[in-house]
Amino acid sequence: MKRSILFDTETTGLDPATGDRVIEVAALELVDDLPTGECYHVLIDPERDIPEEASRVHGFKREDLIGKPKFAEVADGFLTFVGNDPLIAHNARFDFNFMNAELEACQRPILSAARMVDTLEMAKKRFPGLPNSLDALCRRFDIDLSARTTHNALLDCKLLAEVYLELMGGRQRGLGLVDQRGGGGSAVYQRDPARKPRVMAPPSPEECAAHEIFVDGLKDPIWLR
């Protein structure tokens, strides 16, 4: 099984080099590209003010974070959760830069760029020239955005997990199969009883005629037996 970690941050601004800090970190565990339900989530006291323009994005004000742990207090918990597995994020360099600035400041190991999986780069290759923000991708893949009134690291992770799955090829939902593991660990696939059968439109006269022409060109076609 392949384990990976999908994560997101919220910050006081755009650049850790000018003193901006991380205020929220969320991470979801994926196994074979599917969420397991295991997650890491923490709010952090940035030990500084939060500009109004940043608050408009994520909804957090300075008073909301007073009394929350400092980054140095949560760093080890984050590193333990992510382990050595690949790290998935949307516009991943932004999150890596902020996390590494915080980790370096509290003398913890930084995140290697070799672990980086950037869903923004994946989306740009698949949809060149189109908007590829998280919101745009959710709309493109018909993923419900109704709960996303502001940026929220944990909610954004859950949305990104669905987007990432689609970017990796999707669940092939149309097959309607359920993976049921037997006692020996083998997979038994059954039709999902919750899935409604799709109503197929009857073929048009033109399609029927084209099929007859195709069949006539075959040697001993099974349709005529």
Side-chain angles (χ1 to χ4, degrees):
M1 294 188 296
K2 180 187 74 173
R3 182 181 190 262
S4 53
I5 300 295
L6 186 151
F7 82 108
D8 186 44
T9 63
E10 297 298 339
T11 66
T12 64
L14 300 177
D15 190 355
T18 60
D20 285 316
R21 302 287 304 275
V22 173
I23 62 171
E24 184 183 19
V25 181
L28 300 182
E29 180 186 62
L30 307 182
V31 172
D32 294 337
D33 298 332
L34 296 174
T36 65
E38 294 295 322
C39 69
Y40 173 93
H41 180 230
V42 65
L43 296 176
I44 299 166
D45 183 348
E47 304 178 82
R48 54 152 292 170
D49 66 303
I50 300 177
E52 185 178 343
E53 57 270 26
S55 291
R56 284 198 294 268
V57 173
H58 47 59
F60 291 110
K61 297 181 179 180
R62 179 72 185 97
E63 54 266 29
D64 298 325
L65 302 172
I66 293 175
K68 301 299 182 183
K70 312 295 192 293
F71 187 90
E73 299 173 58
V74 303
D76 290 335
F78 173 78
L79 291 173
T80 297
F81 183 82
V82 302
N84 296 313
D85 298 300
L87 295 169
I88 305 161
H90 200 66
N91 191 16
R93 294 189 185 280
F94 177 90
D95 299 288
F96 268 67
N97 286 343
F98 264 97
M99 292 300 290
N100 282 342
E102 295 280 7
L103 290 166
E104 191 170 34
C106 62
Q107 300 180 331
R108 300 300 199 281
I110 65 171
L111 308 175
S112 168
R115 302 172 62 183
M116 183 188 299
V117 179
D118 192 344
T119 52
L120 178 58
E121 293 302 316
M122 293 172 65
K124 285 180 177 179
K125 290 179 181 177
R126 182 166 173 182
F127 306 110
L130 294 178
N132 286 303
S133 66
L134 181 57
D135 280 0
L137 290 169
C138 285
R139 287 190 288 269
R140 194 167 301 145
F141 291 128
D142 197 25
I143 296 168
D144 184 10
L145 276 168
S146 60
R148 196 175 192 245
T149 55
T150 59
H151 287 224
N152 170 287
L154 186 57
L155 175 60
D156 286 0
C157 278
K158 293 177 179 178
L159 293 173
L160 185 58
E162 295 190 60
V163 166
Y164 177 67
L165 183 60
E166 295 292 344
L167 290 172
M168 293 297 289
R171 299 174 187 267
Q172 294 184 308
R173 296 179 181 87
L175 294 177
L177 300 178
V178 178
D179 178 359
Q180 294 187 340
R181 300 281 167 178
S186 59
V188 178
Y189 292 93
Q190 299 181 350
R191 186 185 180 279
D192 185 353
R195 175 178 171 266
K196 296 181 180 179
R198 297 177 64 181
V199 178
M200 303 299 292
S204 67
E206 293 80 8
E207 290 170 329
C208 290
H211 178 69
E212 289 180 7
I213 294 171
F214 172 75
V215 171
D216 287 342
L218 298 176
K219 182 179 180 180
D220 190 25
I222 61 173
W223 292 276
L224 300 180
R225 292 179 185 174

